[in-house]
Every structure is written in structure tokens, then in C-alpha cells.
Amino acid sequence: MLPEITPQQLKTRLDNQENLQLIDVREPKEWAICNLGGTLIPLADLPKKAAELDKNATTVLICHHGFRSAQALLFLQQRHGFTNLLNLKGGVHAWALEVDPAFPVY
């Protein structure tokens, strides 16, 4: 089972100003519609950018529904030895439904 964080848990941690590394693996067009303020690294670019990420930080991977971010999580775990990763369960779509009804959906 993949380590996950629910939208509400993420909101709580952001509200508490926890030091989280947010990585959004969607495409730039999707990110432009809505985002949680994280760093945009499209999934296809992750192999080239993985070395730039802070391996020690708690990293939350984000996408539209949670599938691409799950792929990113497995890639970072298996290929780069990251251990402190969380997948945003349901992605930004779940964030809109569960946390912020004004958050744009697509």
C-alpha cells in the first residue's frame, strides 16, 4: 500500500505551516487551471529533476486524481531511495470536493 495523505490531513498540515515539499506532477496546462502552490514537475520530467528534490523533506506528490502522483511516488522510492513520500489521495479533484469548494475543477 502506498503512503497517502488525505486532502483534509494535508490542509491541516499546511495550516500548521509544516515544512512540506509539494510536487505537482501534472502538465503545465492543468497546473495553470488550479494548483496548491507546489513545484510543478510534470511526470515525464521527473527522471531529469529527481536529483533536485530534497530527499530529507516530507514530500507530497500531487496530480489530478492521484494516479500519476502514485507513479511518481513509486519511481522516487524505487529508483532514488526516497523514504518520506506521501501521495495526495484523490488529487486536486478530491481537494476541491473535500476541502475547498471554490477550488477550480476540470
Side-chain angles (χ1 to χ4, degrees):
M1 184 127 166
L2 289 178
E4 293 182 320
I5 187 168
T6 67
Q8 190 57 56
Q9 289 169 330
L10 178 57
K11 181 183 185 328
T12 299
R13 291 177 80 166
L14 291 172
D15 287 348
N16 291 336
Q17 299 181 345
E18 287 189 36
N19 188 20
L20 300 173
Q21 179 172 232
L22 304 179
I23 304 298
D24 195 317
V25 298
R26 296 176 297 150
E27 294 300 313
K29 288 180 186 177
E30 294 175 284
W31 194 84
I33 295 168
C34 60
N35 67 75
L36 297 175
T39 302
L40 175 65
I41 302 177
L43 185 59
D45 295 341
L46 194 57
K48 294 179 282 189
K49 301 277 189 176
E52 298 173 19
L53 302 177
D54 182 352
K55 244 181 166 169
N56 298 313
T58 299
T59 302
V60 179
L61 295 150
I62 302 164
C63 71
H64 190 198
H65 289 289
F67 299 108
R68 284 175 283 177
S69 52
Q71 288 179 297
L73 187 147
L74 289 172
F75 172 78
L76 291 172
Q77 256 182 355
Q78 295 170 357
R79 298 286 177 94
H80 292 276
F82 280 72
T83 58
N84 205 2
L85 301 170
L86 296 166
N87 185 39
L88 179 59
K89 186 175 182 178
V92 293
H93 188 77
W95 178 274
L97 295 175
E98 298 172 24
V99 173
D100 183 359
F103 197 76
V105 293
Y106 62 98

